[in-house]
Amino acid sequence: MDRLVKPDVKEVEMIFEKTDEKCSATFRLTNLMHAMAVAVSLTTTNPSSPFSIDIPLSTIPPLSSSTYTISLSHLSDNGRLFSTAPEAVAVVTSMLLAGKSHNCDDLRRLFLKPGPHVFNDAVIPVSVVGPHFAEFLISNHIPRSRSLLNKAISRCLPSQLTDLLTYAVECGNAESVAVLIDAGADSNSKDSNGKSLVPLAIRAGNEINVVKVLLASGCVIENKVDLVLHEAAAANRVDLMRLLLEFIGEDDADVDSVNHEGRTPIHVAALHGHVDVIRYCVSMGGNPNVVDRKGWTPLHCAASEGQLRAVESLLAECGCDAKRAVDREGKTAFAVAMENGHVELGDLLHWGDVLFRAARVGDVHGMASCLTVGGADVNGRDQNGWTALHWAALKGKVKSVEVLIDNGAEVDPVDEVGYTPLRCAVESGHLQVALFLVARGSCATLDTIKASKGLFAPPRLLDSFGKLTKHVL
């Protein structure tokens, strides 16, 4: 004889409904013996199992059946246990002498003594099924969840599978996304706005593999509807932009595509301060000067949110002309920044330019206003790497030079090709400015002194300059 009892199922399936309630399932064991009662011991094969059995020890009369309930407590406490071995109920039996009663202690002692009287009758697999348990597995990223999830969704309707796919995309669970698509979930399902699952995957977070799985499954992107490049720009995901542009193809890929506000991905990146995205879009042919329906350039967008690094990046890409662009209300990016309280952008967007102009023409009052009221950076540089002091020296504006130095200007700033304000003054023939700069601490170089030899200037000034710079020779 190989067994004493027979289970009525090959597998126990529990339908899990709510995460804060227990779920349970029943199964029946039938005693196959005609004249003898059978003792039954039921245990879970996994020592750390979250399942419990209502009657772990019992007796079944001859040719009779008994029903047992196996339960699963709520998952918020026990979810981690699903990373262990597969769940099953081990059915162990032993024959009992007729007419003799046994209590639980007697039965326990009976099964503690191994021998020919003990039979391993069955191992009944236990699984949890239904969309609620599938959601639990997806959201908790349970290890070994592929087999668990496949079982959990085996009783799901097609519509439930697609709902679960959307949930898996939201959770950024690439493995679950693949399992659900293989099981028949519709990877081309749309939301109420007609968008595919790809924008949702981008918004979900850092899992690029979710997007890869969706694209590999045949998910169709309609860029004008899905605006996937805008979504990737908002998420600061250059890697996704590369992937999407490659997938969409050259004919449909357009980094200057616009949303309902007329904004490109560069606008979106500027609003969020995503400098890497701005640079990438420009490198792919994107226009950083496109205006939206309000007449805003990306620079307006960055200025409105006080995105300093984005402002700097856009000025590097667009040049200073971008500062003068006005929206439909006649506002520059500077005006937008000031309206929104981002005074720290004033120097970059306006006061720096005013300071340079004032330094060039010798407008001392204008310079003072820029430095005290506008907060302009006295050592700020233009696109050529020149400071206001370079320009004042070049134009021979002694008063401008004096005001700038008195307000903290560096005396010897060097531009991209090695020019200092002193050299600008000398090569422009403004030795009076050169003398003033040397007197205030500027250090003459050999190139500067050589340049002064060819100048037509009053001997007195040349002699003075030579005496002040004799230590260089």
Side-chain angles (χ1 to χ4, degrees), residues 236-238 241-242 269 273-283 309-310 313:
N236 198 22
R237 298 296 301 274
V238 172
M241 297 190 84
R242 289 195 185 98
H274 297 329
V275 174
D276 289 341
V277 174
I278 293 172
R279 292 171 179 163
Y280 176 71
C281 288
V282 172
S283 73
R309 291 186 63 237
S313 178

Side-chain angles (χ1 to χ4, degrees), residues 288-289 299 312-324 383:
N289 290 307
L299 187 63
E312 292 173 337
S313 178
L314 287 165
L315 289 176
E317 298 289 353
C318 307
C320 290
D321 287 343
K323 301 179 186 180
R324 292 184 279 277
Q383 66 271 25

Side-chain angles (χ1 to χ4, degrees), residues 14-33:
M14 297 183 188
I15 300 177
F16 190 80
E17 294 292 347
K18 296 182 179 179
T19 56
D20 57 351
E21 295 181 1
K22 289 184 178 181
C23 67
S24 61
T26 61
F27 61 95
R28 190 167 64 251
L29 297 177
T30 300
N31 183 352
L32 300 176
M33 303 299 292

Side-chain angles (χ1 to χ4, degrees), residues 12 27 41-45 53 70 87-91 122-126:
V12 175
F27 61 95
S41 170
L42 302 177
T43 58
T44 55
T45 55
I53 302 169
I70 182 168
E87 305 292 344
V89 175
V91 181
V123 176
I124 309 173
V126 178

Side-chain angles (χ1 to χ4, degrees), residues 37 62 74 92 152 215 217 300 306 316 321 385 404:
H74 61 281
V92 181
L215 297 181
S217 72
H300 283 87
D321 287 343
L404 289 167

Side-chain angles (χ1 to χ4, degrees), residues 306-384:
Q307 302 290 0
L308 175 60
R309 291 186 63 237
V311 167
E312 292 173 337
S313 178
L314 287 165
L315 289 176
E317 298 289 353
C318 307
C320 290
D321 287 343
K323 301 179 186 180
R324 292 184 279 277
V326 295
D327 65 11
R328 297 193 184 282
E329 296 180 0
K331 297 175 183 176
T332 61
F334 168 76
V336 171
M338 295 304 104
E339 281 184 359
N340 287 277
H342 302 303
V343 294
E344 70 279 4
L345 299 180
D347 181 47
L348 271 175
L349 294 174
H350 178 66
W351 293 115
D353 291 343
V354 175
L355 178 63
F356 283 122
R357 288 196 296 271
R360 288 198 296 269
V361 300
D363 181 1
V364 175
H365 295 296
M367 292 168 59
S369 177
C370 291
L371 294 168
T372 58
V373 178
D377 181 2
V378 71
N379 290 307
R381 297 184 181 251
D382 63 13
Q383 66 271 25
N384 300 310

Side-chain angles (χ1 to χ4, degrees), residues 99-422:
K100 185 176 179 179
S101 63
H102 293 80
N103 59 33
C104 285
D105 290 337
D106 293 334
L107 296 177
R108 191 174 293 108
R109 283 191 292 271
L110 176 65
F111 288 109
L112 285 174
K113 297 178 181 179
H117 65 288
V118 175
F119 295 84
N120 294 313
D121 278 31
V123 176
I124 309 173
V126 178
S127 59
V128 185
V129 299
H132 295 287
F133 184 61
E135 281 188 7
F136 170 79
L137 294 173
I138 291 167
S139 61
N140 286 276
H141 293 260
I142 304 296
R144 198 183 60 84
S145 64
R146 178 178 284 270
S147 59
L148 289 169
L149 184 59
N150 269 313
K151 187 62 186 179
I153 62 179
S154 62
R155 298 292 183 267
C156 290
L157 300 172
S159 60
Q160 292 175 319
L161 290 175
T162 300
D163 290 341
L164 286 170
L165 176 60
T166 301
Y167 185 67
V169 170
E170 287 178 338
C171 293
N173 192 327
E175 183 179 37
S176 295
V177 169
V179 168
L180 289 160
I181 291 174
D182 288 344
D186 183 8
S187 62
N188 272 309
S189 63
K190 309 291 184 182
D191 66 12
S192 58
N193 296 314
K195 291 180 178 289
S196 74
L197 291 170
V198 174
L200 180 62
I202 296 171
R203 291 193 297 271
N206 296 322
E207 185 55 87
I208 191 173
N209 288 331
V210 173
V211 177
K212 288 182 177 179
V213 170
L214 288 172
L215 297 181
S217 72
C219 181
V220 177
I221 295 175
E222 294 182 31
N223 195 37
K224 292 182 179 179
V225 177
D226 292 324
L227 297 171
V228 289
L229 297 180
H230 292 74
E231 295 283 0
N236 198 22
R237 298 296 301 274
V238 172
D239 58 337
L240 281 174
M241 297 190 84
R242 289 195 185 98
L243 175 66
L244 292 165
L245 285 170
E246 180 180 346
F247 177 80
I248 295 170
E250 294 183 2
D251 293 338
D252 298 318
D254 184 4
V255 290
D256 282 336
S257 58
V258 297
N259 60 15
H260 67 282
E261 296 176 299
R263 291 179 174 174
T264 68
I266 299 180
H267 282 93
V268 174
L271 280 168
H272 291 84
H274 297 329
V275 174
D276 289 341
V277 174
I278 293 172
R279 292 171 179 163
Y280 176 71
C281 288
V282 172
S283 73
M284 295 300 293
N287 183 356
N289 290 307
V290 172
V291 296
D292 65 10
R293 292 185 178 178
K294 293 171 62 175
W296 277 22
T297 64
L299 187 63
H300 283 87
C301 292
S304 70
E305 297 296 324
Q307 302 290 0
L308 175 60
R309 291 186 63 237
V311 167
E312 292 173 337
S313 178
L314 287 165
L315 289 176
E317 298 289 353
C318 307
C320 290
D321 287 343
K323 301 179 186 180
R324 292 184 279 277
V326 295
D327 65 11
R328 297 193 184 282
E329 296 180 0
K331 297 175 183 176
T332 61
F334 168 76
V336 171
M338 295 304 104
E339 281 184 359
N340 287 277
H342 302 303
V343 294
E344 70 279 4
L345 299 180
D347 181 47
L348 271 175
L349 294 174
H350 178 66
W351 293 115
D353 291 343
V354 175
L355 178 63
F356 283 122
R357 288 196 296 271
R360 288 198 296 269
V361 300
D363 181 1
V364 175
H365 295 296
M367 292 168 59
S369 177
C370 291
L371 294 168
T372 58
V373 178
D377 181 2
V378 71
N379 290 307
R381 297 184 181 251
D382 63 13
Q383 66 271 25
N384 300 310
W386 276 29
T387 66
L389 191 59
H390 279 93
W391 283 108
L394 180 73
K395 297 297 183 179
K397 306 299 181 181
V398 177
K399 284 292 184 182
S400 293
V401 170
E402 182 177 4
V403 169
L404 289 167
I405 293 176
D406 288 345
N407 279 274
E410 296 178 15
V411 179
D412 279 327
V414 181
D415 72 0
E416 297 172 356
V417 294
Y419 271 69
T420 63
L422 177 59

